[in-house]
Amino acid sequence: MKNRKKGVALILALIMALTVLGGCSNDSKDKKIQRDTGTDQKEGTEEGKKGSGRFFESECTLPKGTKKICSMGKLEDGSLGVLAMRNDNSYVILISSDQGKNWRQTKIKGLKKEFLPHAAIGPKGNAALFHYEKDGKIKASLADPSGKTRTVTLSIPGNQGNNAKNQVWQAAYSSQGSLIIRTTDDSLYKVGEDGTCTKAFDTKGAGINYFSIAGNRLVAIHDDGIMLFDTESGKALDSEAPLEELVKKYKRLASADTDSGQPMVFSEGTEKDGIMFANKEGIFHFKLGGSVAEQLMDGGLASLGSGNTIFYGIATLDQNNIFIAASSDSSGAGDKIYRYSYDKNAASAPDKELTVYALDESIFLRNAVTLFQKANPDIHVNLEVGLTGKDGVTLEDALSVLNTNILAGKGPDVLILDGMPVESYIQKGILQDITDVVEEVNKSDGFFPNILEASKQEGKIYAMPARLVIPILEGDQATVNSGRDLKSMAERVTALKKKGNSSGGKSLPIQGPESTLRDLFYADSATWLKEDGSLDKETVTDFLRYAKQFYDGDNHNSKLENQMDSHSMDATLETGEKLGSHRYDGLLTGEWKYSFGTLSDIYELQSICSYRPQTKTDFCLMNHDRIKSYIPYLMAGVVKSGNTDAGKKFVKLLLGKKAGNSDHNGIPVNRAAYDAVCKEKLHAQNVKDESSISFSAQGSDKSYGFAYANLKQEEIDSFTKIMESLEKPSITNRVIQKIILEQGKKYLQEEQGLEETADDILKKVNLYLAE
């Protein structure tokens, strides 16, 4: 089973060169697709607030032992059908006739206990399961409602002999029982009873990225829009402008980038010629020939709005009950079936509001918002992101508007302070003391005591990180030994450079000037501030000197360096996924002798420990003899002038075990969450699923990679000692960091001297701090 791409695409690109939900009132038939769906809405108007009735979310409890949802749909008798994989890798058909409360299980017989990549449930409770190609043949096991199977060999056009290049990539049944597949050449085929595949849909040469079935209509999504077909005749139907524009404008909806699931799913609607569809923005009903889609539920107020949600299916049982199968984790651990039921007497929207502001998008933060919404259905959380990268807003613009709003009493209630001037906000009395909240969570779950202590200001806590990232150095033992300070590291880089030159090899990774400065800044900046809050010139000068030595050790390639430096300075993708800047690809290919950067989560720790037997490398906390520093992530504070009660309640959840129990997007500061994540990695799900990483080096057909391995207790204990040794946060103020990178780059590229650069940095930073 392939592992979901959690930053691997970025790495390879660089090497190769609620119980709640939102509502619509009974009289809101004209409510338009909102936010990312491409049209406007009457948001915030009195008209939009009137009325009653809304959908509420609940989670269906699946039978114990259910591991992964493969397919879900409405059966012809009106019941809900699910095809699922169990923990022992067997497959079952689950049918519920009471809105997901109880399930009738039918085991699928005649299958080996193995992972099957694609499957579909049919309208009669039958199923199709597709096997990996073997000996040039692709087989499908077709199960009847009793679970009895028969196996057919697919006859896909273009697959000849032992050259089965065209694999099955997606499958679904139409409401009339026709089995339809999408193959790796992005074509659609009907599968006959004997396995014969017929290209029944003329897509006019467009590659289909994914498709859904909506009654007797096939909805095919390609790069430039959506095509509709009659599922039985294959006839192309008239295009629908609102759906076309939806995909054209928002490219993230145009293609699926995971091994299973899609960013959007469709089903038959509740009216004649109606189509129901769902994506992260919510659930919508569209009538063919119409000009707008009615939003039934706002995804931002429910589990659908989580930043990394993928969808497996939607089933509309009736106008008051909609079911969605979705996941936040392609391993299956996050697979859920959500029921959305309509209550006509409920208020159409929550009557309270809480605003959370962050400079950067964050999947983890969005998941916390979802958890908070479920626990507090009377509070609508408005998450504002200052730097979306889509509107031309600069860091200075975002901070200026934020500060103006705070001073005017119109600011947010909760601040995620990553990149912000935290010290200034504390000194100006903007932040509320949240010591009571932190102590309450510490009493129930525990925090790393050293991080707790480092977060105090004169005995009080005004801001507390939910996660953290650490700077690391990785390489052979001599390289790791040099990790004690920047001077020793720089000397090691110079020695490796000379060794590589003499042997005709390239023993060092390519780093851009800004990425070099950024990673070393995170490792060293905790030592820069004097007692009066100004920068110490000597430490900054030393930092620049050693950074230049690192950069001079680089085998420069301007194109790759620009790619490195164009990446977000805090290693956060547009999707909100937090990545470490540490890279391992060159260690696996044997090109590099060391790598340095940031390690962002326990998942990356597992990666390092999985490939270490191949590379014969070790790692350490960078600069650990000089300062054992860390980078706070999702540092939360409550604004004094805001809704402090609700704000504290949100921060408590963000810092708690339930929100923090994730191996991605930062290392938990909550000790109970940290221990739970580490415990899972002793018997990791991705190891059970035989997940692996593979890639090819540029200009070579040779494949490199590794299979994920369970962490060993001694590896966890060793890493925990690093966590317990951390002393002080690095400077996270994005304005200061920007000055360092801009001025330092000039020195690294020899546009100005060391003394001049240090003076310019001190002048600009100290002037900024004095404002």
Side-chain angles (χ1 to χ4, degrees), residues 99-114:
Q99 310 286 351
K101 296 176 184 175
N102 296 284
W103 299 90
R104 184 173 77 252
Q105 300 187 60
T106 301
K107 184 176 179 179
I108 297 179
K109 309 172 187 70
L111 296 176
K112 293 180 180 179
K113 292 183 177 181
E114 61 181 335

Side-chain angles (χ1 to χ4, degrees), residues 74-211:
K74 179 181 178 181
L75 305 187
E76 61 182 16
D77 64 359
S79 57
L80 183 66
V82 175
L83 177 60
M85 183 182 186
R86 292 182 53 78
N87 287 335
D88 63 357
N89 287 356
S90 64
Y91 289 82
V92 292
I93 297 169
L94 306 176
I95 296 178
S96 176
S97 301
D98 58 0
Q99 310 286 351
K101 296 176 184 175
N102 296 284
W103 299 90
R104 184 173 77 252
Q105 300 187 60
T106 301
K107 184 176 179 179
I108 297 179
K109 309 172 187 70
L111 296 176
K112 293 180 180 179
K113 292 183 177 181
E114 61 181 335
F115 178 80
L116 299 177
H118 304 288
I121 189 163
K124 298 181 182 295
N126 55 314
L129 302 99
F130 296 85
H131 300 255
Y132 283 112
E133 174 269 332
K134 185 176 181 180
D135 299 328
K137 295 179 181 179
I138 302 170
K139 294 185 177 182
S141 293
L142 306 179
D144 65 21
S146 72
K148 183 179 179 181
T149 60
R150 63 185 181 87
T151 301
V152 298
T153 299
L154 300 185
S155 176
I156 303 175
N159 282 1
Q160 298 177 356
N162 292 326
N163 192 22
K165 293 183 178 179
N166 214 0
Q167 309 288 324
V168 175
W169 207 241
Q170 186 187 352
Y173 277 97
S174 73
S175 58
Q176 289 81 11
S178 296
L179 178 57
I180 300 167
I181 62 172
R182 178 177 68 87
T183 56
T184 47
D185 68 351
D186 296 331
S187 297
L188 299 173
Y189 297 91
K190 271 190 180 181
V191 181
E193 289 292 319
D194 61 354
T196 300
C197 299
T198 306
K199 199 167 186 177
F201 307 95
D202 184 5
T203 59
K204 306 294 184 185
I208 303 305
N209 297 324
Y210 64 96
F211 74 96

Side-chain angles (χ1 to χ4, degrees), residues 380-609:
H380 169 52
V381 181
N382 177 29
L383 177 58
E384 296 181 357
V385 177
L387 298 173
T388 65
K390 300 175 182 177
D391 50 16
V393 174
T394 65
L395 172 65
E396 291 78 8
D397 293 337
L399 289 175
S400 176
V401 171
L402 173 64
N403 294 338
T404 299
N405 288 338
I406 290 175
L407 292 175
K410 300 177 181 178
D413 305 297
V414 174
L415 284 174
I416 303 303
L417 293 151
D418 303 350
M420 296 184 192
V422 182
E423 297 290 338
S424 175
Y425 287 169
I426 294 172
Q427 292 169 6
K428 293 177 180 178
I430 290 173
L431 297 178
Q432 176 78 27
D433 179 8
I434 58 170
T435 306
D436 55 337
V437 174
V438 175
E439 288 180 346
E440 189 175 351
V441 178
N442 190 40
K443 186 176 180 180
S444 61
D445 299 341
F447 287 111
F448 279 96
N450 48 321
I451 307 302
L452 187 64
E453 191 62 31
S455 301
K456 292 181 180 179
Q457 295 273 352
E458 297 181 354
K460 295 181 179 180
I461 297 175
Y462 298 94
M464 182 74 186
R467 322 283 283 181
L468 59 81
V469 175
I470 62 171
I472 66 166
L473 172 70
E474 184 178 12
D476 60 19
Q477 197 56 54
T479 297
V480 171
N481 290 342
S482 75
R484 57 187 178 272
D485 54 49
L486 296 192
K487 180 177 183 293
S488 300
M489 288 172 61
E491 290 172 351
R492 177 63 178 163
V493 166
T494 300
L496 287 172
K497 172 73 170 179
K498 290 179 180 177
K499 186 175 181 180
N501 287 343
S502 64
S503 64
K506 186 188 84 172
S507 58
L508 307 174
I510 292 176
Q511 294 281 128
E514 290 185 18
S515 55
T516 299
L517 288 162
R518 176 198 62 203
D519 288 333
L520 297 179
F521 171 88
Y522 282 140
D524 196 55
S525 61
T527 66
W528 293 7
L529 293 177
K530 296 190 291 188
E531 289 187 7
D532 63 0
S534 62
L535 289 189
D536 181 85
K537 182 178 179 181
E538 184 179 350
T539 57
V540 172
T541 303
D542 286 343
F543 164 80
L544 291 170
R545 182 181 294 111
Y546 300 136
K548 180 73 162 63
Q549 202 167 339
F550 266 88
Y551 184 65
D552 287 347
D554 188 353
N555 291 279
H556 297 299
N557 178 312
S558 58
K559 183 177 180 180
L560 289 180
E561 286 186 1
N562 289 337
Q563 287 180 327
M564 293 292 297
D565 285 346
S566 65
H567 183 48
S568 170
M569 70 171 62
D570 74 336
T572 302
L573 298 181
E574 287 185 9
T575 58
E577 191 163 11
K578 185 73 172 178
L579 301 180
S581 59
H582 160 263
R583 294 161 54 203
Y584 54 71
D585 39 281
L587 297 175
L588 282 164
T589 63
E591 280 187 288
W592 306 343
K593 299 303 180 184
Y594 84 96
S595 177
F596 71 96
T598 55
L599 186 148
S600 68
D601 48 42
I602 302 299
Y603 182 100
E604 288 192 16
L605 173 66
Q606 185 192 13
S607 297
I608 289 174
C609 294

